[in-house]
Amino acid sequence: FFTSNIMGIISALVGGIMDATRIAKTNKALNELTYEEVVVQNKYAIKMPSFLSPKSNLNEDASLQYASRILDIAFLVIDEPKSEFIAAVEESKEYIPGLSDSLLDNLAAVTIHNMFDDKDIETGNYRQTTINGLNAITLNVFQERTFFKDALYASFAFIEGKDTVYQIIIMSGGTSIKSFADKLEVTIQSFREL
């Protein structure tokens, strides 16, 4: 009994310290925010916020990978030729219901199906738009994860370039993404095909 009480107190203290550290890092990131334009393989450019750092091990298909472990945010861009994606959609029609004639809607449906397998997700804020003259759609996905006792938040932008389709994927296992939503929106809107 005594040991379990001490362990509970220690766990609460460590959790409190971690929360205080995250809050301090969030405030610092917001106060010292700058953007740096990153050019990727002479295909596209995007302005990345200073609170994210380059990574190389998040997703082997991503041409751009940035993240913050402390803030629990990952930012990826995946690009692929339109022709390859259209062929993949044809193969996917059998097991992904509701695919349409819209390239971007299909890209969103396939991506969300592959990432979440349609298990207890909520989608919202669907919007057709343009980003620097390119057709795009944006949407958010929320999934409660009972195993981790938290939620997974994701924001997506699907962009149709001249010969390429782009997926911007922003994910967070915590609520810090809400604090940075408007800053990440600046990054999404800065995307431009070269």
Side-chain angles (χ1 to χ4, degrees):
F1 177 76
F2 180 74
T3 304
S4 66
N5 280 343
I6 290 180
M7 292 307 292
I9 293 170
I10 290 172
S11 178
L13 286 173
V14 170
I17 292 169
M18 289 175 61
D19 288 344
T21 301
R22 184 173 289 124
I23 291 168
K25 296 245 181 198
T26 298
N27 290 337
K28 182 178 180 185
L30 289 170
N31 291 335
E32 298 176 2
L33 177 64
T34 59
Y35 291 92
E36 177 185 354
E37 185 170 75
V38 177
V39 175
V40 179
Q41 302 166 356
N42 286 327
K43 290 181 182 180
Y44 63 90
I46 191 166
K47 292 180 181 174
M48 295 304 300
S50 55
F51 56 80
L52 298 177
S53 303
K55 303 294 179 194
S56 61
N57 60 348
L58 302 176
N59 183 309
E60 65 184 32
D61 296 327
S63 56
L64 179 132
Q65 304 177 57
Y66 274 68
S68 170
R69 185 172 171 212
I70 293 291
L71 302 175
D72 195 17
I73 298 173
F75 189 107
L76 309 171
V77 178
I78 297 173
D79 60 88
E80 61 184 307
K82 278 186 196 179
S83 58
E84 287 181 21
F85 175 71
I86 291 169
V89 165
E90 287 303 314
E91 294 173 13
S92 301
K93 284 187 176 179
E94 295 175 21
Y95 64 92
I96 301 178
L99 293 179
S100 67
D101 292 333
S102 166
L103 176 74
L104 293 177
D105 284 335
N106 287 344
L107 181 57
V110 169
T111 300
I112 290 168
H113 176 82
N114 289 340
M115 288 181 72
F116 298 97
D117 199 24
D118 297 330
K119 292 181 182 170
D120 300 324
I121 61 168
E122 296 174 29
T123 60
N125 299 330
Y126 174 93
R127 185 171 58 114
Q128 292 182 336
T129 187
T130 58
I131 296 175
N132 286 317
L134 301 175
N135 290 329
I137 60 172
T138 60
L139 63 101
N140 296 326
V141 175
F142 169 82
Q143 181 180 40
E144 190 171 331
R145 303 187 303 172
T146 54
F147 178 75
F148 295 107
K149 296 183 181 177
D150 67 357
L152 181 63
Y153 298 88
S155 292
F156 295 93
F158 301 98
I159 304 168
E160 181 178 0
K162 182 179 176 189
D163 298 312
T164 306
V165 289
Y166 303 92
Q167 304 169 52
I168 296 176
I169 303 167
I170 306 166
M171 299 189 71
S172 177
T175 58
S176 64
I177 195 169
K178 294 176 182 179
S179 301
F180 293 95
D182 58 334
K183 313 304 187 245
L184 293 166
E185 182 66 20
V186 168
T187 297
I188 292 169
Q189 294 301 320
S190 75
F191 180 93
R192 61 188 177 88
E193 191 173 51
L194 300 177

